[in-house]
Amino acid sequence: QSVLTQPPSASGTPGQRVTISCSGSSSNIGSNTVNWYQQLPGTAPKLLIYSHNQRPSGVPDRFSGSQSGTSASLAISGLQSEDEADYYCGAWDDSLNGPVFGGGTKLTVL
Amino acid sequence: QVQLVESGGGLVKPGGSLRLSCAASGFTLSEYYMSWIRQAPGKGLEWISYISSASTTIHYADSVRGRFTVSRDNTKNSLYLQMNILRAEDTAVYYCARDLYGTFDSWGQGTLVTVSS
């Protein structure tokens, strides 16, 4: 059972905009910034979004993050086939004194 | 560029031990916290330990506390994870990651640990 809650799956067609939600509590998302990671099949996770809505170098601006209260979301616009991957949210948890993750959302591009 | 390479995984019997290593290059290891994160087959990510740049602060997840020990040797650009009293539920791919206060900006490719009799 993950501390952060994500839907197990999401889907969209090429060009579409999709969002993935991440729900937490006051000790994690409610008081710390949310990060998003992308894990392509058979590879290690990669940082996608950090500090609310910052993208590391090389991440397309089709990816964006938002955060409000104890929830966050990742939006992917102009969906492409290469976006098919697992997406994880993560945040620091003040009560656990450590990072926590969501269970992951498998994105399928139809 | 930043590179992290894990090694030391393999098959071990329940109750056994294993030591993982993570070789860092492309950045100054001594300036960063580092973490170990694992992923059981077909499952999500689980953070298990972090260690501060000078090894003065170390923290473990409840699931491994008392069995796993993290350490580092900045002079060798290396991070380690000593795993003792291994259980079947420790079976996972283990990643080392550069840790910016809970933001993991670089990951290794992972090393698979299988605990089975």
Side-chain angles (χ1 to χ4, degrees):
Chain A
Q1 195 83 355
S2 300
V3 174
L4 306 180
T5 301
Q6 299 179 237
S9 63
S11 63
T13 56
Q16 197 174 17
R17 181 178 187 271
V18 298
T19 61
I20 296 171
S21 63
C22 176
S23 177
S25 68
S26 58
S27 65
N28 42 66
I29 296 178
S31 51
N32 298 289
T33 60
V34 174
N35 306 306
W36 289 92
Y37 302 90
Q38 178 193 57
Q39 186 174 32
L40 296 170
T43 69
K46 179 186 89 166
L47 181 63
L48 196 65
I49 297 286
Y50 66 99
S51 295
H52 291 291
N53 192 22
Q54 301 301 305
R55 292 181 304 277
S57 174
V59 174
D61 59 7
R62 301 187 295 106
F63 295 90
S64 62
S66 63
Q67 188 170 343
S68 179
T70 59
S71 295
S73 62
L74 172 71
I76 309 172
S77 60
L79 195 63
Q80 299 180 5
S81 58
E82 55 260 40
D83 298 334
E84 194 161 279
D86 293 325
Y87 292 85
Y88 294 89
C89 60
W92 185 266
D93 191 293
D94 294 333
S95 295
L96 298 175
N97 191 27
V100 292
F101 291 102
T105 298
K106 184 176 185 61
L107 175 64
T108 301
V109 181
L110 303 170
Chain B
Q1 73 282 17
V2 174
Q3 190 170 15
L4 298 167
V5 179
E6 301 93 338
S7 60
L11 176 63
V12 61
K13 290 182 168 52
S17 299
L18 212 54
R19 188 194 196 209
L20 305 183
S21 298
C22 170
S25 60
F27 68 103
T28 304
L29 182 65
S30 61
E31 295 179 353
Y32 292 89
Y33 277 54
M34 296 294 292
S35 272
W36 286 98
I37 298 157
R38 68 183 180 184
Q39 185 172 35
K43 302 295 185 182
L45 302 172
E46 179 190 15
W47 167 83
I48 57 174
S49 180
Y50 69 71
I51 181 169
S52 64
S53 53
S55 305
T56 52
T57 301
I58 291 173
H59 193 56
Y60 300 97
D62 289 345
S63 58
V64 305
R65 185 175 294 116
R67 300 187 299 122
F68 290 13
T69 302
V70 63
S71 62
R72 63 194 292 163
D73 186 338
N74 291 333
T75 64
K76 295 183 178 179
N77 293 315
S78 293
L79 175 73
Y80 307 101
L81 185 68
Q82 177 67 43
M83 305 186 295
N84 298 329
I85 319 175
L86 283 161
R87 307 165 179 165
E89 54 265 36
D90 295 319
T91 294
V93 173
Y94 285 73
Y95 297 101
C96 64
R98 195 168 74 171
D99 184 347
L100 304 178
Y101 304 110
T103 298
F104 307 109
D105 71 335
S106 295
W107 299 63
Q109 87 288 349
T111 187
L112 176 63
V113 172
T114 303
V115 184
S116 175
S117 55

